Amino acid sequence: MTRPVAAPWPGAFEAVRERLARILASVPVAGAQLCVSRGGTPLLNAALGEARTGTPMATDSVVYWSCAGKPLLATALATLVDEGGIRFADPVARHLPEFAANGKEAVTVADVLSHAGGFRHFEGPGPDRSDYADFVRRVLALPLEPGWVPGGHQGYHQETGWYVLAALLESALGQHYGTVVAERVCRPLALRSTWATVPPPVHDGIRDRLAVPSFAGRQGLRRYPYLVSRAGARAKVPPYGFYGTMSDLASFYEAALSGLRGPGPFPVSPPVLRAMAAPPRGRVPDRTWDYPCAMGLGYFCGLSDHNGFGGRWSDSSFGASGRIGQVFGGADPETGVVIAASFGALAFDNGTKEALMDALYAAALA
């Protein structure tokens, strides 16, 4: 999908630019990249600050998405649902028999997608993330948490469930999950600057466009150059390893909104996509985050309940966020608003993030 480029910082978004510029004055080695549309019409495609020391952030800078890329992995899996190879209601163990270990035999594909599987954590030191095969083996062998009701309880599975989804894809298709995402999601949607992992030849070609992720918290400003190194960008890390532009992330959500209405470029059918964007449990307490929220099949739902998104989204909205880089992607079927934003260290506290997201949403409606 080729997106027309909006003029940088149109008047409705000037207050957002000014606020980010004020923050940038005290956090100079950081940058933001923003893309906003409504009803498929681009409203903002802009960047501010630095991608890395001495290099300005640009609208085509490739940023680290962190967890905000999870919906693309979920969408790749959903293509198998459309084809009949997997059902959301299937026990995972039907496709990965070793997953039945330690009480997980009843956990379904939908439970994993909606953070209701009950295998969130490793006891003691976790396995080495650089050994992908061992990490997958260890995840599949995790026990069901004591007292957990699969499909009934909810708790954000930050990384474990996404290794299971990658294993399902690889078992079904015999391909690296990143290749599956590229062929089944990025290619149909013409997301030419998005990768689930960045192979070395691709990395060599986009090295100058890669933005070093930044994050500011209680311990101050941190940058993560390893994540955009040749080794870091090619690592197989299904929960976190997505890279791309905010323009591509916005295109993904614009196509999803169109896909909810009827057949189009989105790679799964409208009924399957509607099932993904509808939380099976509604709004319930999340045992990881300690607040009530709704989870769909691969998406956060009702984004106003989720930290950092701000309070203007409708209950039917859906998206995801990533902590490193402070990346937010979301779509609202009620208004047609799509926001894709990478704030980095320029939005280091929840109040700042929510104020910026509220301002972007308001400007989209102006």
Side-chain angles (χ1 to χ4, degrees):
M1 170 182 310
T2 301
R3 307 181 77 259
V5 176
W9 303 108
F13 295 90
E14 182 60 22
V16 177
R17 188 201 65 77
E18 290 176 354
R19 182 164 190 154
L20 285 169
R22 287 195 298 271
I23 300 170
L24 185 63
S26 59
V27 189
V29 189
Q33 188 184 90
L34 311 171
C35 196
V36 180
S37 65
R38 185 181 181 193
T41 299
L43 302 174
L44 176 71
N45 188 19
L48 179 143
E50 290 190 325
R52 55 189 180 276
T53 304
T55 301
M57 183 74 83
T59 56
D60 69 344
S61 295
V62 176
V63 302
Y64 178 63
W65 290 7
S66 188
C67 294
K70 287 175 176 175
L72 277 71
L73 185 63
T75 299
L77 185 72
T79 64
L80 299 183
V81 176
D82 261 328
E83 293 169 4
I86 288 178
R87 297 182 308 157
F88 289 136
D90 285 349
V92 173
R94 178 176 299 173
H95 306 279
L96 300 171
E98 58 271 46
F99 183 80
N102 298 315
K104 301 195 305 300
E105 62 276 358
V107 175
T108 68
V109 175
D111 294 340
V112 176
L113 283 163
S114 64
H115 303 271
F119 56 103
R120 292 174 293 171
H121 310 298
F122 293 98
E123 293 296 332
D128 181 359
R129 288 172 178 79
S130 67
D131 188 338
Y132 174 74
D134 181 58
F135 203 104
V136 171
R137 285 192 294 270
R138 293 278 297 276
V139 168
L140 295 178
L142 281 169
L144 188 71
E145 295 178 33
W148 189 281
V149 178
H153 294 145
Q154 176 182 294
Y156 184 62
H157 289 50
Q158 183 167 310
E159 57 184 341
T160 52
W162 303 88
Y163 280 87
V164 172
L165 299 177
L168 283 166
L169 282 173
E170 294 180 345
S171 175
L173 298 172
Q175 295 177 293
H176 181 322
Y177 72 87
T179 301
V180 179
V181 171
E183 292 182 353
R184 292 185 170 229
V185 180
C186 297
R187 186 174 298 166
L189 297 179
L191 307 182
R192 298 186 177 89
S193 294
T194 298
W195 299 270
T197 61
V198 184
V202 174
H203 186 274
D204 293 345
I206 65 169
R207 183 184 291 115
D208 293 342
R209 293 170 56 198
L210 286 162
V212 177
S214 63
F215 176 78
R218 295 177 182 176
Q219 298 171 342
L221 175 68
R222 292 187 62 188
R223 308 198 85 203
Y224 300 85
Y226 173 75
L227 293 173
V228 292
S229 70
R230 211 167 187 253
R234 74 179 178 192
K236 293 178 75 175
V237 188
Y240 311 131
F242 283 78
Y243 298 77
T245 62
M246 290 299 97
S247 179
D248 269 11
L249 187 58
S251 289
F252 173 80
Y253 282 107
E254 288 163 4
L257 284 184
S258 177
L260 288 174
R261 296 190 294 268
F266 203 73
V268 299
S269 66
V272 169
L273 179 56
R274 291 183 196 117
M276 296 176 74
R281 291 169 300 281
R283 186 175 183 267
V284 299
D286 189 280
R287 294 185 168 202
T288 301
W289 286 338
D290 292 326
Y291 60 79
C293 60
M295 292 290 194
L297 306 187
Y299 295 99
F300 302 169
C301 295
L303 296 180
S304 291
D305 284 335
H306 292 268
N307 280 342
F309 275 92
R312 293 179 175 268
W313 302 85
S314 76
D315 289 345
S316 63
S317 60
F318 57 97
S321 63
R323 182 169 182 266
I324 302 303
Q326 301 291 11
V327 178
F328 297 86
D332 197 331
E334 288 197 12
T335 60
V337 168
V338 165
I339 297 176
S342 173
F343 295 118
L346 299 182
F348 54 86
D349 66 273
N350 206 51
T352 300
K353 288 179 282 190
E354 298 207 341
L356 287 165
M357 290 294 283
D358 280 343
L360 287 171
Y361 198 108
L365 296 180

